[in-house]
Amino acid sequence: MEEEINSDRRGEESLGLPDRYGSATAWQALTEAGFGLVEVDETGTIVGATPSVADTLGYTSEPLVGQSSTRLFPESEVQSVLDLLAELADDDDVRVVRHRGKDGNEVALPVSVHRVETEEQVTYVEVVRDFEGVSADEGDTDAGSDRVLAPAETPDRQTGETRSTDVRSPGERPDHVPEPDQTGPSDAADDTTAGRATDTLYRELFDQSHDAIVIFDTETGRLVDANDRAVGLLGAEQDEKAELVGTHASRLFRDDTDGDGDGSAGRGTAARLLAGEVTANEDLPCRRTDGSPITVVVKSVVRSGDVRLAVAVQDVTDRRRRETEQTDRVAAMDAALEGIATLDEEYRVTYANEEFASLHDTTVDETVGSEWQEFYTDEEWRKLSWQVLPAVEREGTWRGEATGRRADGETFPQSLSLSTVGGGGLVAVVHDLSAQKHYSRRLRDLNVITHRLMSARSDTEIATIGCEAVGQVVGLPLNAIRLHDPESNDLVLTEAPESTMEVLGPRPRYDVETTPAGRAFETGETVITVVNEADPYGRYPLSEAMYVPLGEHGVMSVGTTDPHGFSREEVDLAELLGANLTVAFTRARRDRQLREMQADLTRKQDVLRRQHDRQEILLGISSLVQEITDATVHSKSREEIEQAVCETIASSELYHFAWIGNYSLGRGRIVPRAAAGLDEGVLDEIAQITPTELERGAIDESIETGEAQVVRKQDGDVELHEPVRRAASERGFEAAIAVPLTYAGRNYGGLVVIASHADAFGEFETRAFSVLGELVAFAIRATTDRALLLSDSIIEVEVVSTDRNAALVDLSAEVGCRLTLAGIVDNNQNGRRYYYLVEDAPAATVVAALWRYRGVEDVEVISERVNESLIAIELSGGSLVQSLVEYGVRVREQTVDDGRATVVVEAPTQDDVRDVVELLVEEFPETDVVSVLERDRPVRTANECRDILLGDLTDRQHATLQTAYVEGYFDWPRRSTAEEVADRLDIASSTFHQHVRIALQKVLSALFDEE
């Protein structure tokens, strides 16, 4: 009879055991916990079977109760089965016995058998010890074997060691079991004996259950019994079981929100449990004896009357944690930006997140179960099959690029990562590279265009290439490039595509002060505006307009008709292109300046050649000047410059020799510094000339007058020092020239050159040597300044002057004021402006007094406060600081008070200090040197940092920025407005703003680039 019994599987649990001390309750708990029990009476009929045994043997839809036990054993008779059960009942060991499933397959089950004897009958209870890993199609089915008992290594319950189990078939009766006809009637056991046997069986099954079973008294809520597995689950030792009994349920079954009482608290979980409200497969929070939390799942709950409650549970803490982690991992994969799919061993998709399905234009339901091969072309799948999958099998992982296919057949580039997982299968992580590839192509196009920009020579050519690039790289054909016109302070349209011109109409000018383009130009940041009908640019069919600054050159305008405006990629590419255009415009401007300088030099050379009727000497002199220029530029010290000049001149076929001397005030004569083509003895003789000899030469005259002096042999009056004249005569002297080495009002000595031809040093040649003298002096000055800036140590000199010929010294004594130098600003148009803080006297009084002094060209009050005022003075002479600045040293500080001026200057060498002091004392005799110190400099001096920050400024930008700073334009509150500073510089306010903005941009660029 076939029928479903799953709806009431307890119908097979008719083991008929008495309820002694709650034993029936425990039996039911054991049964519901999945313990396998089969009861066979003495006729060989199955009188009881638990669902777990029936399910294992395949009897899920056919009841076992009432059937012959021979159905459970392969090819057996009833008597053989009874003999086997009797044999097993006499042995306490666990045997592995082959059973027969409903489908005929054999299943090996570890069992023990108990004999239960009552007044009515004798039955055998077969206990299946372990169902783990057992299924209906498993078992020992060796061919030719007719044994029921399979060999097994069974553990000894006392020692834990394994021993071989005796194996017998139903036909092999053990020696101690008598033949059926020799066996007499059994002595009937009393009910007490049967009860003890039943209780013993219950206790053994109860203790050996795979589930933890606890029994509570529902009236007191306290634990009355627990098997060994429950004791271990609760964190107690076996010898502590007695202490565990009596524990209230609220201490064992509670979560963090439950109380900690003995019945009055912990009502949440414990109260539900004692009331029988929990159900099978429900998770409960549990506490071990040490207070640590665990999670258990209820396998069964059995009540016996009103006072007994048996609960079978299993510890699922780790399982639930793994399930939670797995849930979190699945949630993370579902939310991942990459496409993620898992594949089985046949490369079928077993899981796919939304992104994976979206990448292939399918749904998750359509993707799961499909072949992974469907997401690639045949050619790509061959590559994956032949190359990638073998690599994954060897290495466990693989990463690379592939070409995926969408549902409509469209292909797309993807990054693919494959990893093996335990149990077989793969995890595939896919990312769409279409946008990245597209962006990379645009960057490559931009790189090609950048090379074109770097070779362009004019602003128009650069602008044309830039407009083409906006359409090609950014993909926005509506664009234009406007360059800044400093005169009008407008942004003038320079280039735009024809399509843009049709939209814009006449080429407009954008005002810097009022337009978005001007704001981008002034701030140096990209400006994006929304274009609407109310906007003055609303007549253009644009949704947004973008203005990208091009440094000091102008702006690039870009428009889009997309209703969503510009994308992030379009903005990034436009700004990259703008940066490249800025570099190109800057390079082109510098190239133009270089070409103009080269052209100017070429024009001057042509004029010189024409003046001398293209004589050979012109070429020689030009070549000589060029060689000297190169030599001075590459020299690192004053000595190297002077020696290089002399050697270059002496090596020319046009001249015999050359030497350079410097005038020493202290010694009152010319001191030789370098020479070429002369014996050292001649220089020694020159050095020995004393002031008392009154011997003067052309070099003395040139230094005093500041003009070149030409001396010719035919004139008869040879104005040369005697040693020089003698050496010149020995070499066939015809003409000589003495050139002063002067730059910015300071003399660095003189150059004497002896020529071998009579017509030497004509007008052109003299002018050329005069320019050469200035060049050499400039190189010496630059080298000296560089040494001052970069040397590891400097010479610091403090001088004090009471000379009333110095205007400020006399002023402080007359007016009774104190003046402190605040700054010096070079102005190409008006000379230098000296800023002083004035104390102890009104500014008006000081200004009125200053106009009386010689050399005062202009005086202006910059700001006036209660305690001090700031004034600016322009001087042409009569100033200690002005003389020191012209001598080429750095004035660090100056104070003038009560007819006494203290000045601190810095110079690179002792020789420079000596020369400067001699010149200063000559001009202002009542001047004394107070101290001379050699001071170490840091790795980078303040002047060096200043040179780095200000090195790119033009003279006009430098002067404007410095004037604005000194006059308090940057103070808060401002001491001078932009209009006031612009008026003093004699420039327009807009020009002032332009110079200040560009200068600040350069300074900040140098600062942050250096950083």
Side-chain angles (χ1 to χ4, degrees):
M1 179 177 63
E2 297 290 331
E3 62 179 331
E4 291 292 339
I5 65 171
N6 288 331
S7 60
D8 188 11
R9 300 303 300 275
R10 294 184 180 181
E12 298 217 349
E13 298 164 8
S14 56
L15 294 177
L17 300 175
D19 188 7
R20 296 173 55 84
Y21 308 105
S23 298
T25 303
W27 275 109
Q28 188 173 355
L30 290 169
T31 300
E32 293 192 3
F35 225 102
L37 303 174
V38 177
E39 185 179 13
V40 179
D41 65 11
E42 54 191 358
T43 67
T45 303
I46 300 173
V47 295
T50 59
S52 55
V53 174
D55 291 342
T56 301
L57 298 177
Y59 291 92
T60 56
S61 60
E62 180 179 343
L64 285 173
V65 175
Q67 300 191 41
S68 173
S69 59
T70 58
R71 301 197 66 176
L72 302 182
F73 299 94
E75 302 175 2
S76 302
E77 299 295 335
V78 171
Q79 189 58 46
S80 298
V81 173
L82 291 175
D83 291 344
L84 173 64
L85 295 176
E87 176 187 356
L88 295 175
D90 292 337
D91 191 350
D92 291 336
D93 293 328
V94 177
R95 301 289 189 92
V96 179
V97 180
R98 291 197 300 274
H99 292 65
R100 181 172 56 190
K102 181 180 178 180
D103 56 3
N105 291 329
E106 294 184 6
V107 180
L109 300 176
V111 301
S112 63
V113 177
H114 297 264
R115 178 187 175 92
V116 179
E117 185 174 353
T118 64
E119 292 181 353
E120 291 81 9
Q121 64 176 353
V122 174
T123 61
Y124 295 96
V125 178
E126 183 183 39
V127 182
V128 182
R129 298 290 178 161
D130 192 354
F131 283 102
E132 293 183 4
V134 177
S135 61
D137 57 352
E138 294 179 344
D140 185 359
T141 57
D142 293 342
S145 174
D146 60 355
R147 294 179 180 273
V148 174
L149 298 180
E153 294 291 329
T154 59
D156 187 281
R157 288 195 295 270
Q158 299 297 324
T159 66
E161 298 178 354
T162 59
R163 59 188 177 84
S164 177
T165 305
D166 185 24
V167 180
R168 297 178 184 274
S169 67
E172 297 177 340
R173 183 181 304 277
D175 295 338
H176 65 277
V177 179
E179 294 293 336
D181 56 359
Q182 297 175 357
T183 305
S186 301
D187 294 333
D190 59 15
D191 183 59
T192 303
T193 303
R196 285 198 300 270
T198 302
D199 289 345
T200 300
L201 176 60
Y202 144 69
R203 172 53 61 185
E204 182 176 355
L205 296 178
F206 181 70
D207 287 340
Q208 295 181 3
S209 171
H210 286 288
D211 294 329
I213 302 177
V214 290
I215 300 177
F216 290 98
D217 185 325
T218 57
E219 291 184 347
T220 64
R222 298 187 180 278
L223 181 72
V224 297
D225 201 358
N227 64 356
D228 292 345
R229 190 172 293 273
V231 172
L233 180 144
L234 294 173
E237 300 294 336
Q238 294 302 320
D239 56 2
E240 298 175 347
K241 180 176 178 180
E243 299 177 6
L244 189 63
V245 172
T247 303
H248 196 274
S250 62
R251 290 187 177 274
L252 301 177
F253 291 93
R254 62 186 179 88
D255 54 26
D256 292 335
T257 61
D258 290 335
D260 195 18
D262 57 358
S264 61
R267 292 290 299 165
T269 303
R272 291 182 58 246
L273 179 65
L274 296 173
E277 297 174 1
V278 298
T279 60
N281 298 321
E282 179 180 349
D283 285 357
L284 295 181
C286 184
R287 289 279 178 172
R288 297 165 66 95
T289 56
D290 61 1
S292 59
I294 59 174
T295 301
V296 298
V297 62
V298 177
K299 302 298 293 185
S300 63
V301 179
V302 179
R303 296 184 65 89
S304 176
D306 296 330
V307 296
R308 286 288 186 271
L309 178 73
V311 184
V313 296
Q314 286 184 354
D315 185 356
V316 293
T317 304
D318 293 339
R319 185 196 311 170
R320 293 295 181 260
R321 186 182 67 252
R322 290 193 298 271
E323 290 173 354
T324 301
E325 292 173 352
Q326 179 69 14
T327 301
D328 293 342
R329 284 195 293 271
V330 172
M333 289 192 296
D334 287 341
L337 298 178
E338 292 84 7
I340 302 176
T342 58
L343 315 172
D344 62 15
E345 295 180 342
E346 302 298 326
Y347 304 122
R348 288 187 298 269
V349 179
T350 58
Y351 164 81
N353 64 357
E354 291 287 349
E355 182 63 19
F356 185 90
S358 175
L359 286 175
H360 299 91
D361 287 341
T362 63
T363 65
V364 172
D365 292 339
E366 293 171 343
T367 302
V368 174
S370 61
E371 300 288 339
W372 187 44
Q373 176 180 349
E374 297 176 7
F375 302 113
Y376 297 95
T377 62
D378 293 341
E379 180 181 355
E380 192 70 12
W381 179 248
R382 283 194 294 272
K383 169 189 170 185
L384 293 174
S385 301
W386 295 349
Q387 300 177 17
V388 175
L389 294 179
V392 176
E393 185 175 351
R394 290 193 309 271
E395 306 295 335
T397 60
W398 181 87
R399 284 185 179 181
E401 293 188 7
T403 302
R405 181 173 64 180
R406 307 191 200 277
D408 59 1
E410 178 190 0
T411 60
F412 65 96
Q414 63 177 218
S415 65
L416 176 62
S417 176
L418 297 174
S419 302
T420 58
V421 295
L426 298 174
V427 174
V429 180
V430 179
H431 181 70
D432 190 350
L433 297 178
S434 300
Q436 181 178 336
K437 295 286 187 181
H438 179 66
Y439 190 69
S440 297
R441 285 195 299 272
R442 289 192 171 188
L443 289 179
R444 287 196 296 271
D445 293 342
L446 179 60
N447 187 46
V448 173
I449 289 171
T450 300
H451 286 291
R452 290 181 57 197
L453 287 173
M454 293 304 105
S455 60
R457 297 175 62 87
S458 66
D459 290 349
T460 301
E461 185 180 359
I462 293 173
T464 301
I465 296 173
C467 290
E468 293 175 359
V470 178
Q472 178 182 346
V473 177
V474 186
L476 298 171
L478 292 175
N479 60 83
I481 290 179
R482 295 174 172 82
L483 298 183
H484 181 245
D485 180 5
E487 297 298 328
S488 62
N489 200 28
D490 288 339
L491 295 169
V492 181
L493 184 62
T494 303
E495 185 62 35
E498 193 63 34
S499 57
T500 303
M501 295 305 300
E502 293 176 359
V503 173
L504 296 180
R507 297 192 174 196
R509 286 175 171 261
Y510 281 178
D511 179 60
V512 170
E513 303 292 338
T514 60
T515 61
R519 186 164 72 253
F521 174 72
E522 286 193 317
T523 62
E525 297 180 354
T526 299
V527 174
I528 298 177
T529 61
V530 177
V531 180
N532 51 57
E533 295 181 356
D535 196 290
Y537 309 102
R539 63 182 182 278
Y540 306 148
L542 307 176
S543 60
E544 282 187 347
M546 174 168 50
Y547 302 97
V548 180
L550 305 178
E552 62 183 25
H553 308 288
V555 295
M556 177 177 69
S557 305
V558 184
T560 180
T561 57
D562 191 318
H564 301 292
F566 295 104
S567 67
R568 181 69 259 175
E569 179 180 313
E570 290 171 339
V571 175
D572 291 342
L573 289 171
E575 290 182 335
L576 279 175
L577 178 59
N580 290 340
L581 285 170
T582 302
V583 174
F585 280 123
T586 301
R587 181 203 54 78
R589 175 174 296 182
R590 291 179 178 175
D591 286 350
R592 284 196 304 272
Q593 293 173 346
L594 182 60
R595 288 195 298 271
E596 290 172 359
M597 293 174 61
Q598 187 65 39
D600 184 59
L601 178 60
T602 302
R603 285 193 298 271
K604 290 180 179 179
Q605 290 176 343
D606 291 341
V607 170
L608 294 176
R609 292 191 186 95
R610 285 194 298 272
Q611 289 178 347
H612 286 79
D613 198 18
R614 298 182 180 179
Q615 297 179 10
E616 185 177 352
I617 193 173
L618 294 179
L619 297 177
I621 294 176
S622 297
S623 176
L624 177 64
V625 170
Q626 186 62 48
E627 290 177 14
I628 293 174
T629 301
D630 293 340
T632 57
V633 168
H634 293 92
S635 297
K636 297 181 180 180
S637 67
R638 177 175 179 177
E639 290 75 15
E640 288 184 13
I641 293 172
E642 292 171 338
Q643 190 62 37
V645 171
C646 293
E647 289 178 356
T648 304
I649 294 174
S651 64
S652 171
E653 297 179 355
L654 301 176
Y655 309 106
H656 289 307
F657 61 87
W659 69 280
I660 291 176
N662 190 28
Y663 187 75
S664 173
L665 289 174
R667 301 164 69 179
R669 61 178 182 271
I670 298 296
V671 177
R673 291 184 55 87
L678 274 175
D679 297 332
E680 291 184 1
V682 176
L683 297 179
D684 291 338
E685 289 184 56
I686 297 174
Q688 296 303 319
I689 299 176
T690 61
T692 58
E693 297 181 26
L694 301 177
E695 182 178 355
R696 296 176 58 81
I699 189 171
D700 306 276
E701 191 71 21
S702 68
I703 292 175
E704 289 183 4
T705 63
E707 297 178 357
Q709 301 295 316
V710 178
V711 178
R712 301 187 183 278
K713 181 181 179 180
Q714 62 188 15
D715 294 340
D717 185 12
V718 179
E719 295 181 349
L720 295 173
H721 288 292
E722 177 57 27
V724 178
R725 185 191 61 76
R726 187 173 61 249
S729 299
E730 292 174 355
R731 289 167 172 76
F733 162 75
E734 293 294 339
I737 188 172
V739 180
L741 306 180
T742 304
Y743 177 76
R746 181 178 177 184
N747 180 267
Y748 295 90
L751 167 66
V752 178
V753 181
I754 306 300
S756 58
H757 52 285
D759 57 349
F761 309 120
E763 179 182 356
F764 166 78
E765 199 169 357
T766 300
R767 188 162 57 249
F769 271 94
S770 297
V771 173
L772 179 61
E774 294 179 2
L775 175 63
V776 173
F778 170 77
I780 293 173
R781 170 68 178 272
T783 303
T784 303
D785 290 346
R786 183 168 63 236
L788 179 63
L789 289 172
L790 303 179
S791 62
D792 293 334
S793 63
I794 59 169
I795 306 301
E796 183 182 274
V797 182
E798 180 179 352
V799 297
V800 174
S801 179
T802 57
D803 199 310
R804 302 292 286 267
N805 291 321
L808 297 184
V809 173
D810 189 74
L811 173 70
S812 66
E814 291 292 331
V815 179
C817 64
R818 177 184 176 88
L819 298 98
T820 303
L821 181 65
I824 305 173
V825 177
D826 289 327
N827 190 315
N828 291 338
Q829 294 180 350
N830 303 319
R832 293 188 184 90
R833 290 170 66 88
Y834 299 84
Y835 290 85
Y836 284 90
L837 290 174
V838 180
E839 299 173 275
D840 303 329
T845 302
V846 174
V847 169
L850 275 171
W851 281 114
R852 298 197 301 266
Y853 291 97
R854 175 183 58 83
V856 176
E857 301 294 334
D858 190 22
V859 183
E860 184 177 1
V861 178
I862 304 301
S863 64
E864 188 170 7
R865 296 180 180 175
V866 176
N867 297 325
E868 66 178 15
S869 303
L870 178 66
I871 65 172
I873 310 172
E874 291 181 11
L875 299 167
S876 61
S879 168
L880 289 166
V881 172
Q882 182 189 20
S883 297
L884 289 169
V885 170
E886 290 178 352
Y887 295 156
V889 296
R890 177 175 176 265
V891 178
R892 205 175 72 192
E893 59 185 66
Q894 179 199 22
T895 57
V896 186
D897 189 15
D898 195 22
R900 176 186 175 90
T902 302
V903 185
V904 178
V905 299
E906 292 177 348
T909 65
Q910 292 281 2
D911 290 340
D912 293 292
V913 170
R914 186 182 301 110
D915 292 343
V916 169
V917 171
E918 289 178 352
L919 291 170
L920 188 65
V921 171
E922 182 183 27
E923 185 175 0
F924 302 100
E926 295 180 23
T927 301
D928 297 315
V929 177
V930 176
S931 65
V932 178
L933 300 175
E934 183 173 1
R935 181 164 53 85
D936 291 336
R937 304 189 95 164
V939 175
R940 174 169 287 171
T941 65
N943 285 337
E944 182 182 357
C945 295
R946 186 180 298 107
D947 185 61
I948 291 173
L949 294 175
L950 305 179
D952 286 342
L953 300 185
T954 65
D955 292 340
R956 169 56 80 183
Q957 292 167 357
H958 184 282
T960 303
L961 185 63
Q962 190 173 10
T963 301
Y965 174 76
V966 174
E967 294 195 4
Y969 173 73
F970 297 107
D971 292 351
W972 186 259
R974 289 176 172 169
R975 291 192 295 179
S976 298
T977 66
E979 290 74 14
E980 291 171 345
V981 179
D983 289 341
R984 296 186 186 103
L985 292 171
D986 196 22
I987 59 176
S989 175
S990 59
T991 304
F992 167 77
H993 282 294
Q994 176 192 351
H995 288 325
V996 169
R997 188 191 70 252
I998 294 173
L1000 286 175
Q1001 191 270 341
K1002 288 181 177 180
V1003 170
L1004 293 176
S1005 296
L1007 175 62
F1008 291 120
D1009 290 345
E1010 178 72 9
E1011 187 179 83

